[in-house]
Amino acid sequence: MTPVSGGDSAVEERGGPSAVVAPGERGATRIADRVVAKIAAQAAREALGPLPPEAAPPHATVVVLPHSHLRSSGGTPIESVRVRVHLELGYPCDIGDRCTRVRRQVVQRVRALVGMEVPEVAVHVERLHTTHAHRAAQGRTR
């Protein structure tokens, strides 16, 4: 049986398993805009909880921004995205609080799952569904 040494310089010179590639020369993973948009929409759903039955689920659009700064380790660029989330909410509710929760959740989930910075989340409330009007309409006898 041949003894195994800690490092084989011939393998390392050929770019074998022990070779270290500089961070700037490594490949990069490109995340499609639609994937980031789906993650943002799911994060909005998580933040809102249950919606009125007639409300459409949140949807999002994403704009990928040019590389604005580099990571400290190795100088690889950090992509950042602007997100626009469209919502329908039940009313009455604290609209400002719900929008804040959506913004916070979108930033956290996109950063955690994709590794992108989210400097801007624009929340558009497209429609409010009043629960009182819906209940009153169901209770009418005429």
Side-chain angles (χ1 to χ4, degrees), residues 29-32 34-46 71 78-79 81 104-118:
T29 301
R30 171 89 169 96
I31 307 295
R34 68 180 184 274
V35 172
V36 179
K38 286 182 180 184
I39 291 169
Q42 177 61 36
R45 282 191 290 277
E46 292 169 2
R71 286 185 212 261
I78 297 176
E79 282 190 301
V81 292
R104 191 174 302 130
Q105 184 73 3
V106 167
V107 169
Q108 290 173 353
R109 297 297 282 166
V110 169
R111 185 181 297 142
L113 295 175
V114 186
M116 293 181 170
E117 295 297 320
V118 186

Side-chain angles (χ1 to χ4, degrees), residues 51-55 89-92 128-141:
L51 293 173
E54 64 276 4
L89 300 174
Y91 187 80
L128 296 174
H129 296 274
T130 58
T131 55
H132 299 299
H134 182 67
R135 287 184 194 146
Q138 288 178 340
R140 289 185 186 159
T141 56

Side-chain angles (χ1 to χ4, degrees), residues 58-82:
H59 63 278
T61 56
V62 171
V63 175
V64 177
L65 303 173
H67 302 301
S68 56
H69 58 285
L70 302 176
R71 286 185 212 261
S72 58
S73 61
T76 57
I78 297 176
E79 282 190 301
S80 56
V81 292
R82 285 190 183 129

